[in-house]
Amino acid sequence: MSTAEYSNNPFIGLDSLTDNALMLRVKAGDVDRMGLLFERHHRALLGFLYHMLGGSRAASEDLVQNVFYRMLKYRHTYSADGEFRTWMYHLARNVLADHVKKNRHAAYHTDVANVADYLGGGHLADEGLEQAQDVLVLHQALARLSPENREVLVLSRFQEMKYGEIAQVLDTTEGAVRVRAHRALKELKTIYLRIEN
Amino acid sequence: MNCESTQDQLADYMSGQLPEPEHSELVAHLAGCTSCRAELEAVQRVWRTLGKATTPEPSPNLRPEFYAMLADFKSTLAPEPKYSPKGLWRWLRELQIPQPALRLAYSLALLLVGAVGGYWLNNQPKTTPADQQQLATLAAQVGEMRQVMLLTLIDNPSATERLRAVSYTKELDGAADAKVINALLSTLNHDDNVNVRLATLEALAPLAADPTVRLGLVHALAQQESPLVQSALADVMVQLQEHRSLPQLRALLKQANLDGTVKSKIEESIQTLSTGRPAAPATTPQRHDQTHVFPRAERPALAV
Ligand SMILES: [Zn+2]
Protein backbone atom coordinates (compact mmCIF):
# COMPACT_ATOMS: atom_id res chain seq x y z
CA MET A 1 0.00 0.00 0.00
CA SER A 2 1.25 3.47 -0.76
CA THR A 3 0.81 6.58 1.26
CA ALA A 4 -0.99 8.01 -1.76
CA GLU A 5 -3.98 5.95 -0.76
CA TYR A 6 -4.34 8.11 2.31
CA SER A 7 -3.69 11.43 0.66
CA ASN A 8 -7.39 11.93 0.02
CA ASN A 9 -8.14 12.96 3.51
CA PRO A 10 -10.97 10.72 4.69
CA PHE A 11 -11.30 12.80 7.82
CA ILE A 12 -12.76 15.98 6.37
CA GLY A 13 -15.34 17.29 8.76
CA LEU A 14 -13.89 15.31 11.63
CA ASP A 15 -10.91 17.59 12.13
CA SER A 16 -12.83 19.68 14.59
CA LEU A 17 -13.67 16.72 16.82
CA THR A 18 -11.67 16.42 20.02
CA ASP A 19 -9.57 13.35 20.73
CA ASN A 20 -12.03 12.47 23.44
CA ALA A 21 -15.02 12.61 21.07
CA LEU A 22 -13.18 10.49 18.49
CA MET A 23 -12.17 7.88 21.02
CA LEU A 24 -15.75 7.68 22.29
CA ARG A 25 -16.84 6.94 18.74
CA VAL A 26 -14.19 4.23 18.49
CA LYS A 27 -15.49 2.83 21.75
CA ALA A 28 -19.01 2.80 20.33
CA GLY A 29 -17.80 0.59 17.48
CA ASP A 30 -16.78 3.13 14.84
CA VAL A 31 -13.20 1.87 14.89
CA ASP A 32 -12.18 3.70 11.71
CA ARG A 33 -12.02 6.88 13.77
CA MET A 34 -8.79 5.52 15.23
CA GLY A 35 -7.20 6.62 11.94
CA LEU A 36 -7.44 10.30 12.81
CA LEU A 37 -6.17 9.65 16.33
CA PHE A 38 -3.21 7.87 14.75
CA GLU A 39 -2.57 10.84 12.46
CA ARG A 40 -2.66 13.21 15.41
CA HIS A 41 -0.54 11.28 17.88
CA HIS A 42 1.76 8.72 16.29
CA ARG A 43 4.74 11.07 16.01
CA ALA A 44 4.66 12.18 19.63
CA LEU A 45 4.13 8.62 20.76
CA LEU A 46 7.04 7.46 18.61
CA GLY A 47 9.17 10.16 20.25
CA PHE A 48 8.25 9.00 23.74
CA LEU A 49 9.03 5.36 22.99
CA TYR A 50 12.16 6.26 21.04
CA HIS A 51 13.69 8.18 23.93
CA MET A 52 12.50 5.67 26.49
CA LEU A 53 14.07 2.80 24.53
CA GLY A 54 17.32 4.57 23.88
CA GLY A 55 16.92 5.40 20.23
CA SER A 56 15.89 2.31 18.32
CA ARG A 57 13.47 3.45 15.67
CA ALA A 58 12.45 -0.01 14.50
CA ALA A 59 11.64 -1.24 18.01
CA SER A 60 9.81 2.02 18.79
CA GLU A 61 7.68 1.71 15.69
CA ASP A 62 6.67 -1.83 16.59
CA LEU A 63 5.59 -0.54 19.96
CA VAL A 64 3.63 2.34 18.41
CA GLN A 65 1.62 -0.25 16.46
CA ASN A 66 1.18 -2.22 19.62
CA VAL A 67 -0.16 0.78 21.53
CA PHE A 68 -2.73 1.50 18.82
CA TYR A 69 -3.66 -2.17 18.72
CA ARG A 70 -4.25 -2.18 22.47
CA MET A 71 -6.31 1.00 22.29
CA LEU A 72 -8.56 -0.81 19.80
CA LYS A 73 -8.66 -4.00 21.78
CA TYR A 74 -9.31 -2.33 25.14
CA ARG A 75 -11.45 0.49 23.78
CA HIS A 76 -14.23 -0.38 26.24
CA THR A 77 -11.97 0.65 29.14
CA TYR A 78 -11.80 4.22 27.88
CA SER A 79 -13.85 6.46 30.12
CA ALA A 80 -15.79 9.44 28.84
CA ASP A 81 -14.44 11.87 31.38
CA GLY A 82 -10.80 10.94 30.78
CA GLU A 83 -8.18 12.64 28.68
CA PHE A 84 -7.34 10.64 25.57
CA ARG A 85 -3.65 11.53 25.68
CA THR A 86 -3.31 10.46 29.30
CA TRP A 87 -4.94 7.13 28.54
CA MET A 88 -2.74 6.60 25.47
CA TYR A 89 0.48 7.16 27.44
CA HIS A 90 -0.86 4.97 30.17
CA LEU A 91 -1.18 2.08 27.69
CA ALA A 92 2.15 3.02 26.12
CA ARG A 93 3.84 2.53 29.49
CA ASN A 94 2.29 -0.93 29.79
CA VAL A 95 3.44 -1.85 26.29
CA LEU A 96 6.90 -0.58 27.13
CA ALA A 97 7.03 -2.55 30.37
CA ASP A 98 6.00 -5.75 28.56
CA HIS A 99 8.62 -5.13 25.92
CA VAL A 100 11.36 -4.61 28.49
CA LYS A 101 10.30 -7.76 30.34
CA LYS A 102 10.44 -9.82 27.14
CA ASN A 103 13.74 -8.36 25.96
CA ARG A 104 15.56 -8.07 29.23
CA HIS A 105 18.94 -8.00 27.56
CA ALA A 106 18.00 -5.30 25.16
CA ALA A 107 16.02 -3.19 27.61
CA TYR A 108 17.76 -0.08 26.56
CA HIS A 109 18.94 -0.23 22.98
CA THR A 110 21.59 2.47 23.00
CA ASP A 111 23.82 1.50 20.18
CA VAL A 112 25.98 3.13 17.58
CA ALA A 113 23.79 1.43 14.97
CA ASN A 114 20.96 3.69 16.10
CA VAL A 115 22.85 6.65 14.70
CA ALA A 116 22.16 5.18 11.28
CA ASP A 117 18.45 5.17 12.11
CA TYR A 118 18.73 8.74 13.09
CA LEU A 119 20.60 9.78 9.95
CA GLY A 120 18.18 7.78 7.84
CA GLY A 121 15.44 9.94 9.27
CA GLY A 122 15.88 12.72 6.74
CA HIS A 123 18.33 14.87 8.67
CA LEU A 124 20.87 16.88 6.75
CA ALA A 125 24.15 15.02 6.51
CA ASP A 126 26.48 17.68 7.96
CA GLU A 127 24.64 18.81 11.00
CA GLY A 128 22.98 15.40 11.10
CA LEU A 129 26.07 13.52 12.17
CA GLU A 130 26.87 15.95 14.94
CA GLN A 131 23.27 15.89 16.12
CA ALA A 132 23.23 12.13 15.98
CA GLN A 133 26.33 12.01 18.18
CA ASP A 134 24.67 14.36 20.64
CA VAL A 135 21.63 12.13 20.72
CA LEU A 136 23.81 9.06 21.22
CA VAL A 137 25.52 10.68 24.21
CA LEU A 138 22.16 11.81 25.55
CA HIS A 139 20.78 8.29 25.30
CA GLN A 140 23.85 6.89 27.00
CA ALA A 141 23.25 9.36 29.79
CA LEU A 142 19.52 8.65 29.96
CA ALA A 143 20.32 4.93 30.09
CA ARG A 144 21.94 5.45 33.47
CA LEU A 145 18.80 6.90 35.00
CA SER A 146 16.23 4.65 36.57
CA PRO A 147 13.28 4.07 34.20
CA GLU A 148 11.02 5.99 36.62
CA ASN A 149 13.19 9.09 36.56
CA ARG A 150 13.82 8.77 32.85
CA GLU A 151 10.14 8.71 31.99
CA VAL A 152 9.35 11.81 34.03
CA LEU A 153 12.08 13.66 32.17
CA VAL A 154 11.01 12.37 28.75
CA LEU A 155 7.36 13.20 29.39
CA SER A 156 8.07 16.67 30.68
CA ARG A 157 10.79 17.70 28.22
CA PHE A 158 9.89 15.86 25.01
CA GLN A 159 6.15 15.55 25.43
CA GLU A 160 5.91 18.91 27.18
CA MET A 161 3.55 17.56 29.79
CA LYS A 162 2.90 19.40 33.02
CA TYR A 163 3.37 17.64 36.35
CA GLY A 164 -0.39 17.24 36.77
CA GLU A 165 -0.78 15.29 33.53
CA ILE A 166 2.34 13.21 34.15
CA ALA A 167 0.92 12.31 37.56
CA GLN A 168 -2.22 10.99 35.85
CA VAL A 169 -0.22 8.96 33.35
CA LEU A 170 1.90 7.46 36.11
CA ASP A 171 -0.92 6.99 38.61
CA THR A 172 0.82 9.05 41.24
CA THR A 173 0.69 12.48 42.85
CA GLU A 174 1.88 15.75 41.42
CA GLY A 175 4.25 16.12 44.35
CA ALA A 176 5.89 12.77 43.62
CA VAL A 177 6.36 13.72 39.97
CA ARG A 178 7.90 17.01 40.97
CA VAL A 179 10.43 15.29 43.21
CA ARG A 180 11.31 12.77 40.47
CA ALA A 181 11.76 15.50 37.88
CA HIS A 182 14.11 17.32 40.16
CA ARG A 183 16.13 14.21 40.98
CA ALA A 184 16.29 13.08 37.36
CA LEU A 185 17.65 16.40 36.18
CA LYS A 186 20.24 16.52 38.95
CA GLU A 187 21.35 12.97 38.18
CA LEU A 188 21.55 13.68 34.49
CA LYS A 189 23.66 16.75 35.14
CA THR A 190 26.13 14.67 37.17
CA ILE A 191 26.25 11.98 34.49
CA TYR A 192 26.94 14.58 31.82
CA LEU A 193 29.76 16.08 33.84
CA ARG A 194 31.25 12.61 34.14
CA ILE A 195 30.94 11.88 30.42
CA GLU A 196 32.51 15.20 29.50
CA ASN A 197 35.49 14.89 31.81
CA MET B 1 14.99 31.45 50.86
CA ASN B 2 18.04 29.22 51.23
CA CYS B 3 20.27 27.62 48.60
CA GLU B 4 18.90 24.10 49.06
CA SER B 5 15.27 24.98 48.44
CA THR B 6 16.32 27.17 45.52
CA GLN B 7 18.16 24.31 43.84
CA ASP B 8 15.20 22.01 44.47
CA GLN B 9 13.05 24.36 42.41
CA LEU B 10 15.28 24.72 39.36
CA ALA B 11 13.51 21.97 37.41
CA ASP B 12 10.13 23.62 38.03
CA TYR B 13 11.59 26.97 37.12
CA MET B 14 12.96 25.78 33.77
CA SER B 15 9.80 23.94 32.80
CA GLY B 16 7.74 27.02 33.65
CA GLN B 17 5.89 25.33 36.47
CA LEU B 18 7.00 27.44 39.39
CA PRO B 19 4.08 29.44 40.76
CA GLU B 20 4.18 32.85 42.42
CA PRO B 21 5.40 33.94 44.89
CA GLU B 22 8.10 31.19 44.70
CA HIS B 23 9.08 32.34 41.23
CA SER B 24 9.90 35.91 42.29
CA GLU B 25 11.65 34.67 45.41
CA LEU B 26 13.83 32.34 43.35
CA VAL B 27 14.75 35.08 40.88
CA ALA B 28 15.65 37.36 43.78
CA HIS B 29 17.84 34.69 45.39
CA LEU B 30 19.63 33.94 42.11
CA ALA B 31 20.48 37.60 41.68
CA GLY B 32 22.49 37.54 44.88
CA CYS B 33 23.93 34.00 44.99
CA THR B 34 26.74 32.94 42.65
CA SER B 35 26.72 29.26 43.60
CA CYS B 36 23.00 28.90 42.82
CA ARG B 37 23.53 30.73 39.52
CA ALA B 38 26.30 28.28 38.65
CA GLU B 39 23.99 25.39 39.48
CA LEU B 40 21.25 26.90 37.34
CA GLU B 41 23.67 27.21 34.42
CA ALA B 42 24.71 23.59 34.77
CA VAL B 43 21.18 22.17 34.81
CA GLN B 44 20.12 24.57 32.07
CA ARG B 45 22.77 23.09 29.78
CA VAL B 46 21.34 19.63 30.35
CA TRP B 47 17.81 20.92 29.89
CA ARG B 48 18.78 22.54 26.60
CA THR B 49 20.57 19.40 25.39
CA LEU B 50 17.38 17.47 26.09
CA GLY B 51 15.44 20.07 24.14
CA LYS B 52 17.70 19.76 21.11
CA ALA B 53 17.31 15.99 20.76
CA THR B 54 14.78 15.32 18.07
CA THR B 55 12.99 12.16 17.08
CA PRO B 56 13.66 10.56 13.69
CA GLU B 57 10.99 10.64 11.01
CA PRO B 58 8.69 7.64 11.15
CA SER B 59 9.65 5.09 8.49
CA PRO B 60 7.41 4.95 5.41
CA ASN B 61 6.02 1.60 6.61
CA LEU B 62 4.52 2.87 9.82
CA ARG B 63 1.38 4.42 8.38
CA PRO B 64 0.44 1.63 5.92
CA GLU B 65 1.09 -0.96 8.61
CA PHE B 66 -1.15 0.88 11.02
CA TYR B 67 -4.00 0.97 8.47
CA ALA B 68 -3.46 -2.71 7.66
CA MET B 69 -3.64 -3.51 11.38
CA LEU B 70 -6.79 -1.40 11.71
CA ALA B 71 -8.46 -3.21 8.79
CA ASP B 72 -7.38 -6.54 10.24
CA PHE B 73 -8.82 -5.57 13.60
CA LYS B 74 -12.09 -4.53 11.97
CA SER B 75 -12.40 -7.90 10.30
CA THR B 76 -12.13 -9.59 13.70
CA LEU B 77 -15.19 -7.68 14.89
CA ALA B 78 -17.42 -9.48 12.39
CA PRO B 79 -18.98 -12.54 14.03
CA GLU B 80 -17.57 -15.81 12.78
CA PRO B 81 -17.77 -19.49 13.69
CA LYS B 82 -15.89 -20.43 16.81
CA TYR B 83 -13.58 -23.02 15.34
CA SER B 84 -12.77 -21.39 12.03
CA PRO B 85 -9.15 -21.48 10.87
CA LYS B 86 -9.04 -17.71 11.37
CA GLY B 87 -10.06 -18.15 14.98
CA LEU B 88 -7.25 -20.65 15.43
CA TRP B 89 -4.65 -18.31 13.93
CA ARG B 90 -5.85 -15.51 16.13
CA TRP B 91 -5.49 -17.76 19.12
CA LEU B 92 -1.94 -18.60 18.03
CA ARG B 93 -1.19 -14.92 17.69
CA GLU B 94 -2.63 -14.12 21.12
CA LEU B 95 -0.15 -16.58 22.58
CA GLN B 96 2.35 -13.85 21.79
CA ILE B 97 5.38 -16.05 21.40
CA PRO B 98 8.09 -13.40 21.17
CA GLN B 99 9.01 -13.43 17.52
CA PRO B 100 12.73 -12.93 17.98
CA ALA B 101 12.74 -15.98 20.27
CA LEU B 102 10.78 -18.03 17.78
CA ARG B 103 13.03 -16.99 14.95
CA LEU B 104 16.12 -17.75 16.97
CA ALA B 105 14.86 -21.23 17.83
CA TYR B 106 14.16 -21.77 14.17
CA SER B 107 17.63 -20.67 13.05
CA LEU B 108 19.25 -22.81 15.73
CA ALA B 109 17.32 -25.85 14.60
CA LEU B 110 18.45 -25.29 11.02
CA LEU B 111 22.05 -24.94 12.18
CA LEU B 112 21.81 -28.07 14.25
CA VAL B 113 20.47 -30.15 11.39
CA GLY B 114 23.18 -28.79 9.12
CA ALA B 115 25.93 -29.50 11.64
CA VAL B 116 24.76 -32.95 12.64
CA GLY B 117 24.01 -33.94 9.06
CA GLY B 118 27.37 -32.64 7.86
CA TYR B 119 29.22 -34.49 10.61
CA TRP B 120 27.58 -37.75 9.75
CA LEU B 121 28.15 -37.40 6.06
CA ASN B 122 31.82 -36.51 6.51
CA ASN B 123 32.72 -39.07 9.12
CA GLN B 124 30.73 -42.07 8.13
CA PRO B 125 31.11 -42.97 4.51
CA LYS B 126 28.42 -45.57 5.02
CA THR B 127 25.48 -44.04 6.84
CA THR B 128 23.61 -46.75 8.62
CA PRO B 129 19.84 -46.99 8.31
CA ALA B 130 19.64 -45.88 11.96
CA ASP B 131 21.52 -42.64 11.15
CA GLN B 132 19.33 -42.02 8.19
CA GLN B 133 16.33 -42.54 10.39
CA GLN B 134 17.62 -39.93 12.86
CA LEU B 135 18.41 -37.49 10.10
CA ALA B 136 14.93 -37.94 8.72
CA THR B 137 13.44 -37.31 12.17
CA LEU B 138 15.47 -34.12 12.55
CA ALA B 139 14.47 -32.93 9.11
CA ALA B 140 10.83 -33.60 9.94
CA GLN B 141 11.16 -31.55 13.12
CA VAL B 142 12.58 -28.63 11.21
CA GLY B 143 9.71 -28.93 8.76
CA GLU B 144 7.29 -28.73 11.68
CA MET B 145 9.04 -25.64 13.03
CA ARG B 146 8.71 -23.98 9.67
CA GLN B 147 5.02 -24.66 9.74
CA VAL B 148 4.70 -23.22 13.24
CA MET B 149 6.62 -20.12 12.15
CA LEU B 150 4.40 -19.72 9.14
CA LEU B 151 1.18 -20.19 11.08
CA THR B 152 2.25 -17.84 13.85
CA LEU B 153 3.40 -15.02 11.63
CA ILE B 154 0.69 -15.19 8.99
CA ASP B 155 -1.83 -13.42 11.20
CA ASN B 156 0.59 -10.82 12.51
CA PRO B 157 -0.69 -7.22 12.41
CA SER B 158 2.43 -6.23 10.48
CA ALA B 159 2.26 -6.83 6.73
CA THR B 160 6.03 -7.34 6.65
CA GLU B 161 5.71 -10.26 9.07
CA ARG B 162 2.86 -11.74 7.04
CA LEU B 163 5.00 -11.52 3.90
CA ARG B 164 7.75 -13.32 5.77
CA ALA B 165 5.27 -16.03 6.80
CA VAL B 166 4.17 -16.52 3.22
CA SER B 167 7.79 -16.75 2.10
CA TYR B 168 8.29 -19.79 4.38
CA THR B 169 5.98 -21.76 2.07
CA LYS B 170 8.83 -22.27 -0.37
CA GLU B 171 11.00 -23.80 2.33
CA LEU B 172 8.36 -26.39 3.10
CA ASP B 173 9.37 -28.10 -0.16
CA GLY B 174 5.81 -28.85 -1.09
CA ALA B 175 5.16 -30.51 2.27
CA ALA B 176 2.56 -27.97 3.35
CA ASP B 177 -0.13 -29.67 5.38
CA ALA B 178 -3.84 -28.89 5.43
CA LYS B 179 -3.49 -26.27 8.18
CA VAL B 180 -0.89 -24.34 6.21
CA ILE B 181 -2.89 -24.55 3.01
CA ASN B 182 -6.01 -23.32 4.76
CA ALA B 183 -4.06 -20.45 6.28
CA LEU B 184 -2.62 -19.47 2.91
CA LEU B 185 -5.98 -19.67 1.16
CA SER B 186 -7.57 -17.61 3.92
CA THR B 187 -4.81 -15.01 3.54
CA LEU B 188 -5.28 -14.98 -0.22
CA ASN B 189 -8.97 -14.25 0.25
CA HIS B 190 -9.02 -12.01 3.28
CA ASP B 191 -5.72 -10.22 3.77
CA ASP B 192 -6.13 -6.45 3.56
CA ASN B 193 -2.80 -5.91 1.93
CA VAL B 194 -2.57 -6.43 -1.84
CA ASN B 195 1.13 -7.26 -1.68
CA VAL B 196 0.50 -10.00 0.85
CA ARG B 197 -2.30 -11.42 -1.30
CA LEU B 198 -0.10 -11.38 -4.40
CA ALA B 199 2.78 -13.07 -2.58
CA THR B 200 0.37 -15.69 -1.26
CA LEU B 201 -0.88 -16.42 -4.74
CA GLU B 202 2.69 -16.81 -5.90
CA ALA B 203 3.38 -19.22 -3.05
CA LEU B 204 0.22 -21.25 -3.69
CA ALA B 205 0.49 -21.61 -7.47
CA PRO B 206 3.38 -24.15 -7.35
CA LEU B 207 1.30 -26.25 -4.93
CA ALA B 208 -1.58 -26.55 -7.40
CA ALA B 209 -1.05 -30.29 -7.80
CA ASP B 210 -2.91 -30.52 -4.49
CA PRO B 211 -6.63 -30.60 -5.36
CA THR B 212 -7.50 -28.43 -2.32
CA VAL B 213 -5.14 -25.72 -3.50
CA ARG B 214 -6.42 -25.96 -7.03
CA LEU B 215 -10.04 -25.66 -6.00
CA GLY B 216 -9.17 -22.94 -3.49
CA LEU B 217 -7.57 -20.90 -6.25
CA VAL B 218 -10.62 -21.35 -8.49
CA HIS B 219 -12.91 -20.12 -5.73
CA ALA B 220 -10.59 -17.26 -4.84
CA LEU B 221 -11.49 -15.58 -8.12
CA ALA B 222 -14.87 -14.51 -6.75
CA GLN B 223 -13.29 -13.08 -3.58
CA GLN B 224 -10.87 -10.65 -5.11
CA GLU B 225 -11.55 -7.00 -5.68
CA SER B 226 -8.07 -5.81 -6.54
CA PRO B 227 -7.42 -5.70 -10.32
CA LEU B 228 -3.83 -6.82 -9.68
CA VAL B 229 -4.86 -10.00 -7.92
CA GLN B 230 -7.71 -10.66 -10.37
CA SER B 231 -5.28 -10.50 -13.31
CA ALA B 232 -2.68 -12.64 -11.58
CA LEU B 233 -5.30 -15.26 -10.71
CA ALA B 234 -6.60 -15.32 -14.26
CA ASP B 235 -3.03 -15.95 -15.42
CA VAL B 236 -2.66 -18.83 -13.00
CA MET B 237 -5.96 -20.35 -14.20
CA VAL B 238 -4.73 -20.26 -17.78
CA GLN B 239 -1.38 -21.77 -16.81
CA LEU B 240 -3.13 -24.54 -14.91
CA GLN B 241 -5.60 -25.02 -17.78
CA GLU B 242 -8.25 -24.99 -15.08
CA HIS B 243 -11.60 -25.27 -16.89
CA ARG B 244 -13.56 -25.19 -13.67
CA SER B 245 -12.63 -21.53 -13.40
CA LEU B 246 -14.69 -20.68 -16.50
CA PRO B 247 -17.95 -20.01 -14.60
CA GLN B 248 -16.05 -17.90 -12.07
CA LEU B 249 -14.31 -15.94 -14.79
CA ARG B 250 -17.62 -15.33 -16.58
CA ALA B 251 -19.18 -14.21 -13.30
CA LEU B 252 -16.33 -11.76 -12.79
CA LEU B 253 -17.06 -10.21 -16.19
CA LYS B 254 -20.53 -9.28 -14.95
CA GLN B 255 -19.15 -7.21 -12.06
CA ALA B 256 -20.17 -3.61 -12.60
CA ASN B 257 -16.97 -2.01 -11.33
CA LEU B 258 -14.55 -4.34 -13.11
CA ASP B 259 -11.33 -2.64 -14.18
CA GLY B 260 -11.11 -2.26 -18.00
CA THR B 261 -7.72 -3.90 -18.27
CA VAL B 262 -8.80 -6.80 -16.12
CA LYS B 263 -11.90 -7.20 -18.28
CA SER B 264 -9.85 -7.71 -21.44
CA LYS B 265 -7.50 -9.99 -19.58
CA ILE B 266 -10.36 -12.16 -18.36
CA GLU B 267 -12.00 -12.29 -21.77
CA GLU B 268 -8.65 -13.40 -23.11
CA SER B 269 -8.31 -16.06 -20.42
CA ILE B 270 -11.82 -17.39 -21.07
CA GLN B 271 -11.03 -17.57 -24.75
CA THR B 272 -7.77 -19.42 -24.16
CA LEU B 273 -9.34 -21.84 -21.71
CA SER B 274 -12.39 -22.65 -23.79
CA THR B 275 -10.52 -23.09 -27.06
CA GLY B 276 -8.00 -25.30 -25.30
CA ARG B 277 -5.03 -23.41 -26.70
CA PRO B 278 -1.83 -23.77 -24.73
CA ALA B 279 -1.32 -21.37 -21.90
CA ALA B 280 0.77 -18.32 -22.58
CA PRO B 281 4.18 -18.59 -20.94
CA ALA B 282 4.61 -16.23 -18.04
CA THR B 283 7.23 -14.27 -19.95
CA THR B 284 4.84 -13.21 -22.71
CA PRO B 285 4.25 -9.48 -22.34
CA GLN B 286 0.74 -8.83 -21.16
CA ARG B 287 -1.24 -6.88 -23.73
CA HIS B 288 -3.18 -4.66 -21.39
CA ASP B 289 -3.59 -2.01 -24.07
CA GLN B 290 -5.66 -4.30 -26.23
CA THR B 291 -9.28 -3.21 -26.40
CA HIS B 292 -10.71 -6.09 -28.42
CA VAL B 293 -9.45 -9.61 -28.22
CA PHE B 294 -11.50 -11.25 -30.93
CA PRO B 295 -10.82 -13.00 -33.15
CA ARG B 296 -8.08 -14.77 -31.31
CA ALA B 297 -7.14 -16.93 -34.25
CA GLU B 298 -5.59 -13.95 -36.02
CA ARG B 299 -2.94 -13.67 -33.37
CA PRO B 300 0.08 -15.84 -34.24
CA ALA B 301 0.26 -18.61 -31.68
CA LEU B 302 2.92 -17.35 -29.29
CA ALA B 303 5.37 -16.91 -32.14
CA VAL B 304 6.45 -13.58 -30.65
ZN1 LIG C 1 22.01 30.04 46.69
Side-chain angles (χ1 to χ4, degrees), chain B residues 82-159:
Chain B
K82 238 182 176 172
Y83 296 105
S84 67
K86 257 223 142 170
L88 177 65
W89 313 142
R90 198 162 306 124
W91 176 75
L92 267 170
R93 192 177 78 194
E94 304 250 309
L95 282 182
Q96 296 207 330
I97 305 168
Q99 275 154 27
L102 201 62
R103 238 176 259 147
L104 183 67
Y106 175 64
S107 318
L108 283 178
L110 285 185
L111 267 180
L112 184 72
V113 171
V116 172
Y119 177 83
W120 268 329
L121 291 178
N122 289 328
N123 294 288
Q124 293 184 300
K126 282 185 221 158
T127 38
T128 66
D131 291 339
Q132 282 167 359
Q133 177 71 40
Q134 271 176 296
L135 267 179
T137 312
L138 262 177
Q141 279 165 356
V142 172
E144 267 168 43
M145 285 201 68
R146 282 193 185 120
Q147 296 216 8
V148 172
M149 285 292 289
L150 190 153
L151 293 174
T152 310
L153 292 182
I154 204 162
D155 219 21
N156 193 284
S158 145

Side-chain angles (χ1 to χ4, degrees), chain B residues 177-194:
Chain B
D177 73 1
K179 263 195 282 185
V180 169
I181 284 170
N182 276 334
L184 289 171
L185 286 171
S186 164
T187 299
L188 174 62
N189 289 332
H190 305 299
D191 201 284
D192 298 301
N193 186 307
V194 177

Side-chain angles (χ1 to χ4, degrees), chain A residues 24-175:
Chain A
L24 288 174
R25 286 175 69 167
V26 171
K27 187 182 178 180
D30 190 2
V31 294
D32 279 332
R33 299 286 83 84
M34 192 56 97
L36 185 49
L37 289 168
F38 173 84
E39 298 299 339
R40 285 183 187 172
H41 295 285
H42 74 271
R43 274 169 183 275
L45 189 59
L46 179 67
F48 169 67
L49 295 164
Y50 177 75
H51 293 300
M52 283 305 288
L53 280 177
S56 162
R57 185 175 71 175
S60 310
E61 291 195 348
D62 280 355
L63 297 191
V64 167
Q65 294 290 17
N66 219 323
V67 172
F68 278 96
Y69 178 72
R70 285 205 198 178
M71 288 197 287
L72 287 167
K73 194 173 170 192
Y74 301 112
R75 62 196 181 287
H76 56 275
T77 67
Y78 182 74
S79 75
D81 50 337
E83 269 294 326
F84 171 76
R85 191 163 91 136
T86 311
W87 185 64
M88 179 177 79
Y89 280 100
H90 207 91
L91 290 181
R93 287 184 76 231
N94 295 342
V95 165
L96 199 59
D98 286 356
H99 173 81
V100 171
K101 224 181 288 166
K102 275 188 208 160
N103 305 273
R104 218 162 272 152
H105 303 293
Y108 204 82
H109 302 261
T110 296
D111 190 339
V112 183
N114 292 334
V115 174
D117 264 4
Y118 192 86
L119 290 173
H123 295 269
L124 292 172
D126 284 347
E127 66 189 88
L129 187 61
E130 201 184 316
Q131 268 190 24
Q133 279 164 345
D134 288 349
V135 171
L136 190 65
V137 171
L138 172 71
H139 284 148
Q140 277 167 351
L142 281 175
R144 296 184 205 178
L145 297 181
S146 70
E148 291 78 22
N149 287 350
R150 192 191 311 144
E151 80 188 336
V152 168
L153 219 48
V154 170
L155 287 172
S156 86
R157 190 59 173 133
F158 297 114
Q159 315 307 114
E160 294 179 344
M161 280 190 192
K162 298 291 178 203
Y163 295 155
E165 192 179 357
I166 298 176
Q168 279 182 0
V169 172
L170 308 188
D171 268 334
T172 181
T173 63
E174 224 176 297

Side-chain angles (χ1 to χ4, degrees), chain A residues 6 31-32 39 43 50 57 61 65 69 118 121 138 157-158 162-163 178 182 185 189 192 196, chain B residues 7-8 12 14-15 17 39 45 47 49-50 54 56-59 62-63 65-67 74 93:
Chain A
Y6 308 107
V31 294
D32 279 332
E39 298 299 339
R43 274 169 183 275
Y50 177 75
R57 185 175 71 175
E61 291 195 348
Q65 294 290 17
Y69 178 72
Y118 192 86
L138 172 71
R157 190 59 173 133
F158 297 114
K162 298 291 178 203
Y163 295 155
R178 206 185 145 266
H182 166 70
L185 198 62
K189 183 200 75 183
Y192 254 99
E196 281 170 358
Chain B
Q7 295 184 7
D8 278 355
D12 314 350
M14 284 183 307
S15 62
Q17 297 184 83
E39 177 67 14
R45 269 184 57 211
W47 190 251
T49 311
L50 278 172
T54 47
E57 286 293 303
S59 73
L62 185 63
R63 178 175 279 112
E65 283 183 3
F66 164 77
Y67 283 98
K74 250 174 91 175
R93 192 177 78 194

